[in-house]
Structures are given as C-alpha cells and as structure tokens.
C-alpha cells in the first residue's frame, strides 16, 4: 500500500478524535438531528458559494460554510431553548430546509450535482496532507475545550466550527456516523480509549475496502461506522460510561 494512503487515514483518525467528544454531548443533550442540520447547512452554504460565486478560492468557500453552520446552530439553539418539547422535530425541519436549499442550488450549475454528491459522501481516499492537518487542528481544539462543552456557548460554537470544517473533507454521512457511533458505545459503558480503537478500526477497514475495491470511500467508511454503532446494541445500557 502506497505512502499516500497515510494522509486520508490520518484525516479520518483526526476527524474521529474531533467529532467523537462532540457526538457524546449531542446524545447527552438529546439533540441528535443537530449534526445533520448544522452539517447540511454548512454544506448548503459551501455549495451556494461554489455555484453562485463562480467557483471561488477554497478559503472563501470555507468561510461561507462556517457562516452557514453558525447561522444554523444559532437557530437550533433558539429552538431548543424556546420549544424544548418539539426541538427534535423542529431541528429535523431545519435539516430538511437546508437539504432542499442545497438541491435547488445544485440545479443552477452544470456540475452542481457533482459538488452536492461530494459534500454528502466525500471521497476521503483522495484527502491530502492539508486536509489531514485541518482535521488535526479540529481535534486539538476539541481536546482543549472538551471540559467546557457542557456549556451551551462552548458546545454550539465548537460544534458549528468543527462540523463545517469536517463536512467538506469527510462528507455529511461520515460526519454524522463519526458523531453518533462513538457516542453509542460510550453510552454502552466503554472507556473512550476502547471506543476510539473500535471506531478507528471501522473507518480504516472502510477506507481499506475502498482502496482494494476501487470504490467510493465516503459511503464505505460511513457504512463501516454505521455497523460499528449498531453493534453497540449488544451491550447498550449494561454499564455506565467511565471517564
């Protein structure tokens, strides 16, 4: 296996390190749809910048993605505070609205469908060292503020920033699965180190299968993560998570 495989592998490892602690907080708060809604809003904003801006430089697209994510997270936070009983349903509608906006925007450009597909299921196998470094920075940020994620401001701001950066490298499906699968195993009682080992094994198996089969890596990695999360059902609720 060539050395270039190290960059996408490290991008996935760093992505899991950045997203797993956030996913644990998502499950604690009972706002599972927040990751889909915010990541989809970031993807829709990035797609809008790409299509309407005539394919601007990456920093411009990323800035628009971050702005879209912060706008969505502000809306989600308001919905959770004002209508807590209906928050999941309302957050789900935010996701639907963002997804529809992305679909409508994609129709404007001849390559809009390709851009949309890449945002949903990015081909992680072709991630380079800049993408790996970006996700490593996200992981370092989450590690620094992890003890503060119980507060609303820290949680929502960190979530918006990290998800908007991760979705353009990993795709929406991998981001969602990387948030939820580790959190389910934590709720099943596994230590974070054991959960990290399980999830990293899953993503590397998915990435390796993509390389061996010459198949799209995003769907295969997301599929492996989904199976990993579903496997937590066997022990979910038997033990409490330990620090």
């Amino acid at each position: 296996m060539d050395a270039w495989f190290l960059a996408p592998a490290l991008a996935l490892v760093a992505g899991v390190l950045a997203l797993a602690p956030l996913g644990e907080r998502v499950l604690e708060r009972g706002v599972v749809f927040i990751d889909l809604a915010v990541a989809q809003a970031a993807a829709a904003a990035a797609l809008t910048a790409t299509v309407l801006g005539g394919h601007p430089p990456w920093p411009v697209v990323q800035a628009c993605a971050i702005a879209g994510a912060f706008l969505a997270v502000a809306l989600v936070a308001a919905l959770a505070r004002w209508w807590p009983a209906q928050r999941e349903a309302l957050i789900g509608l935010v996701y639907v609205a963002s997804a529809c906006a992305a679909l409508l925007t994609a129709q404007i450009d001849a390559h809009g469908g390709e851009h949309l597909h890449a945002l949903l299921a990015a081909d992680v196998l072709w991630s380079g060292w800049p993408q790996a470094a970006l996700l490593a920075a996200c992981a370092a940020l989450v590690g620094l503020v992890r003890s503060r994620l119980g507060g609303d401001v820290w949680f929502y701001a960190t979530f918006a920033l990290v998800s908007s950066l991760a979705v353009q490298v990993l795709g929406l499906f991998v981001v969602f699965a990387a948030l939820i699968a580790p959190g389910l195993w934590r709720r099943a009682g596994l230590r974070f180190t054991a959960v990290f080992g399980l999830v990293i094994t899953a993503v590397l198996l998915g990435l390796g299968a993509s390389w061996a089969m010459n198949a799209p890596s995003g769907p295969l990695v997301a599929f492996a993560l989904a199976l990993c999360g579903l496997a937590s059902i066997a022990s979910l609720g038997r033990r409490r998570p330990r620090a």
Side-chain angles (χ1 to χ4, degrees), residues 3 5 7 30 38 57 59 73 80 90 93 98 117 120 126 141 148 150 159 162 169 175 241:
F5 188 83
V38 173
V73 87
L90 293 170
L93 291 179
S98 299
H117 182 273
L120 290 175
W126 298 109
L141 172 65
R148 300 176 181 267
F159 189 91
V162 171
V169 179
V175 168

Side-chain angles (χ1 to χ4, degrees), residues 2-72:
D2 296 331
W4 62 262
F5 188 83
L6 289 175
L10 289 176
L12 279 171
V13 171
V16 169
L17 275 174
L19 294 167
L22 294 172
E24 192 174 349
R25 295 294 185 178
V26 164
L27 292 180
E28 287 177 0
R29 290 168 175 265
V31 286
V32 176
F33 276 131
I34 185 177
D35 40 10
L36 283 174
V38 173
Q40 181 63 70
L47 182 63
T48 300
T50 300
V51 171
L52 299 184
H55 303 272
W58 178 85
V60 175
V61 176
Q62 187 59 69
C64 290
I66 293 173
F70 271 92
L71 180 63

Side-chain angles (χ1 to χ4, degrees), residues 128-219:
W129 291 109
Q131 289 79 14
L134 179 66
L135 291 179
C138 289
L141 172 65
V142 173
L144 286 173
V145 303
R146 186 176 179 183
S147 62
R148 300 176 181 267
L149 292 178
D152 284 353
V153 173
W154 283 97
F155 170 73
Y156 285 118
T158 305
F159 189 91
L161 180 61
V162 171
S163 62
S164 64
L165 293 170
V167 73
Q168 293 200 73
V169 179
L170 305 178
L172 179 63
F173 296 153
V174 172
V175 168
F176 179 78
L179 283 162
I180 299 304
L184 288 175
W185 275 109
R186 283 289 286 154
R187 291 173 74 86
L190 264 67
R191 296 180 184 274
F192 185 80
T193 51
V195 172
F196 182 69
L198 276 174
V199 175
I200 291 304
T201 300
V203 298
L204 293 182
L205 284 174
L207 191 66
S210 169
W211 179 81
M213 299 165 57
N214 194 26
S217 56

Side-chain angles (χ1 to χ4, degrees), residues 78-88 90:
L79 294 174
R81 183 171 65 253
W82 294 337
W83 295 284
Q86 292 84 26
R87 62 185 180 184
E88 276 291 86
L90 293 170

